[in-house]
Amino acid sequence: MERNIIIRNATLVTPLGNEAVRGDGMGSISVRGQMTIAVREGVITDVLPDTDWQADGNSYKEIDAAGRVVLPGFVDSHTHLIFGGYRPDEFGWRLNGESYMSIMERGGGIQSTVNSTRTATCDELVEKAGWFINRMVEMGVTTVEAKSGYGLDTATEVKMLDAISRLAEDPERKLDVVSTFLGAHAVPSEYKGRTGEYVDLIINEMIPVVKGKAKFFDIFTEKNVFEIEDSRRMLEAARQAGFKLKLHADEIVTLGGAELAAEMGAVSADHLLHVSDEGIRMMAEKGTVATLLPLTAFALKEPFAPARKFIEAGAAVALATDLNPGSCFSGSIPLTIALACIYMKMTIEETITALTLNGAAAVGMADQIGSVEVGKRGNLVMLEFSNYHMLPYYVGMNCVNTTIHDGRIVYQA
Ligand code: NIG
Ligand code: FE
């Protein structure tokens, strides 16, 4: 009974299918009024007009969604959820005009969070992440991807991945957590000037140890961090070890990260503020999901990623928050939606697809989540309002009334 829920009188708004939706298709979502959605033991068993529902002998918790929109749970497919400390001073320096990369190059930035994460216990990391998870659930997130990458030594990377798996395996969890190994987030200070040796450490020591502890392997492919050749070496080793691949690509400068992601068969390339036209073309051709992170562009005062060019090229666009203590200390789904619609010129329908089914594809789960269809998991969001256009219109504000994960109510306003 706990995971049996029936929602009646809903305005159901959902993309359809079991894979990423590309190009023009992103705007075609299903909008149906007076709908019933039944979830049994956490799985969606019926999606049909209210008048077609007949009691089936099971007992359900009933929710009346009259005057409310129901959507698939949101998928935040790119976050750095696990971290020690905070970096408010760095934010102040950026307000005074210093660049993200110059702070990083003088030993601040990611390295500063690495120092705090190395001294934190696994318990502390789990507890801190729990606070952020509760905020996510309030905004309708039912799946989050979480990266390591603030250890940059084998022991601390393992500690971070252990923290992620404790969150992922918690029987009381309010959302799903997907794990990504990001040992290639930066060159740690003790390897300064010896990038090749750190790359060797990742390939020869870290990958064999963390194999099986994370689904994805990710890299910060960037000028003066890990450039194309080093990135390719690591991606090849990771692929060989059975990881699916992601890249932080073309975030600060145009380097060819998008092209590399497509060439390597990565599931997604993320950021892409400075992607080349050839990178867009190759990603569309190979079906590499373009995960765009408008909150980061906003927080760094950088131009937004060219969402329309990706969609016009026939690529699949996902949207995510990039929650992290540095470049983007925000996990705001409402602001992500507003920025996507207002500044990236995505339609609200494309934005919904990007935060649901295409986000699901970016974490390799589009066959289980990301749309409200029979057979998918019972991950649902009910809005306060009857019209899904409220999502961008109520700028930066939360429209969520109820969040349901695997047929269980995990948040109610
Ligand atoms: O996605 N650019 C690299 N990684 C993160 C930022 C991490 C940090 O600043 O702590 C990003 O923007
Ligand atoms: Fe990131």
Side-chain angles (χ1 to χ4, degrees):
M1 163 68 177
E2 212 215 354
R3 294 186 186 274
N4 287 9
I5 272 197
I6 189 159
I7 301 177
R8 311 270 289 148
N9 306 312
T11 297
L12 177 59
V13 177
T14 180
L16 297 172
N18 287 327
E19 53 188 35
V21 186
R22 302 195 199 183
D24 285 351
M26 285 183 63
S28 313
I29 59 175
S30 160
V31 181
R32 287 165 283 174
Q34 299 297 307
M35 294 292 287
T36 292
I37 302 135
V39 177
R40 212 155 62 232
E41 289 172 21
V43 177
I44 299 173
T45 48
D46 296 276
V47 178
L48 70 198
D50 289 324
T51 47
D52 291 357
W53 168 255
Q54 290 178 338
D56 62 0
N58 292 292
S59 68
Y60 293 93
K61 179 170 180 58
E62 188 160 335
I63 297 180
D64 182 6
R68 298 209 157 117
V69 166
V70 172
L71 299 154
F74 295 129
V75 181
D76 192 349
S77 61
H78 181 140
T79 82
H80 304 254
L81 168 64
I82 306 290
F83 57 89
Y86 293 97
R87 286 149 50 194
D89 295 350
E90 173 181 329
F91 187 74
W93 301 332
R94 290 212 312 271
L95 291 181
N96 288 333
E98 198 175 350
S99 76
Y100 178 76
M101 286 310 279
S102 92
I103 294 167
M104 182 164 168
E105 275 152 20
R106 65 184 174 81
I110 293 172
Q111 182 65 45
S112 151
T113 301
V114 168
N115 300 340
S116 315
T117 307
R118 285 179 177 175
T119 56
T121 65
C122 189
D123 284 349
E124 287 165 350
L125 296 174
V126 168
E127 190 180 333
K128 184 171 181 179
W131 190 86
F132 289 98
I133 284 177
N134 284 334
R135 304 289 80 70
M136 292 172 181
V137 171
E138 289 166 6
M139 294 182 287
V141 175
T142 50
T143 306
V144 63
E145 182 259 15
K147 302 174 195 293
S148 70
Y150 292 121
L152 311 186
D153 61 36
T154 308
T156 315
E157 287 296 314
V158 167
K159 179 173 71 184
M160 292 188 74
L161 293 175
D162 286 345
I164 295 171
S165 64
R166 275 174 54 184
L167 295 165
E169 286 158 22
D170 178 357
E172 295 298 305
R173 68 185 178 279
K174 296 177 180 173
L175 43 59
D176 283 346
V177 184
V178 179
S179 179
T180 295
F181 170 58
L182 179 59
H185 197 186
V187 178
S189 52
E190 62 274 21
Y191 279 87
K192 197 167 165 53
R194 297 187 293 136
T195 302
E197 286 175 49
Y198 184 62
V199 169
D200 289 340
L201 181 83
I202 289 177
I203 293 173
N204 299 323
E205 185 180 304
M206 291 193 193
I207 287 179
V209 171
V210 301
K211 186 176 155 176
K213 286 182 183 284
K215 178 171 183 175
F216 288 96
F217 181 94
D218 193 354
I219 303 187
F220 187 18
T221 296
E222 189 59 54
K223 188 165 185 289
N224 298 331
V225 189
F226 299 104
E227 301 205 7
I228 296 297
E229 279 318 309
D230 282 334
S231 297
R232 187 184 279 109
R233 268 180 71 204
M234 288 188 277
L235 291 168
E236 275 167 357
R239 193 169 60 182
Q240 188 77 20
F243 289 93
K244 292 181 186 299
L245 308 178
K246 288 181 173 289
L247 278 82
H248 283 65
D250 302 316
E251 177 180 356
I252 313 286
V253 301
T254 308
L255 196 75
E259 291 87 329
L260 180 64
E263 172 200 321
M264 294 299 301
V267 174
S268 74
D270 302 27
H271 284 292
L272 303 162
L273 306 186
H274 299 279
V275 66
S276 71
D277 288 346
E278 178 62 4
I280 294 175
R281 193 195 63 73
M282 285 180 66
M283 284 178 61
E285 185 184 305
K286 290 285 165 64
T288 312
V289 176
T291 300
L292 309 184
L293 309 163
L295 295 171
T296 313
F298 179 67
L300 293 179
K301 292 193 268 187
E302 291 285 331
F304 292 94
R308 287 255 60 86
K309 277 191 173 184
F310 276 107
I311 293 170
E312 277 152 25
V317 170
L319 286 161
T321 66
D322 197 23
L323 167 69
N324 74 71
S327 65
C328 178
F329 187 42
S330 172
S332 176
I333 296 292
L335 190 55
T336 298
I337 292 171
L339 294 175
C341 292
I342 300 169
Y343 288 105
M344 294 161 82
K345 301 188 168 54
M346 291 174 68
T347 66
I348 177 59
E349 292 81 8
E350 290 166 345
T351 298
I352 289 170
T353 300
L355 269 169
T356 56
L357 190 52
N358 284 4
V363 293
M365 292 173 72
D367 56 339
Q368 302 166 50
I369 59 169
S371 63
V372 181
E373 293 177 88
V374 171
K376 289 219 178 175
R377 306 249 309 270
N379 293 352
L380 305 163
V381 185
M382 185 164 80
L383 303 184
E384 185 63 30
F385 306 108
S386 62
N387 184 335
Y388 65 93
H389 288 91
M390 297 301 268
L391 283 167
Y393 166 48
Y394 194 28
V395 175
M397 300 295 285
N398 193 11
C399 295
V400 173
N401 173 280
T402 303
T403 306
I404 296 167
H405 175 252
D406 277 348
R408 184 166 76 103
I409 295 175
V410 287
Y411 168 72
Q412 227 159 9

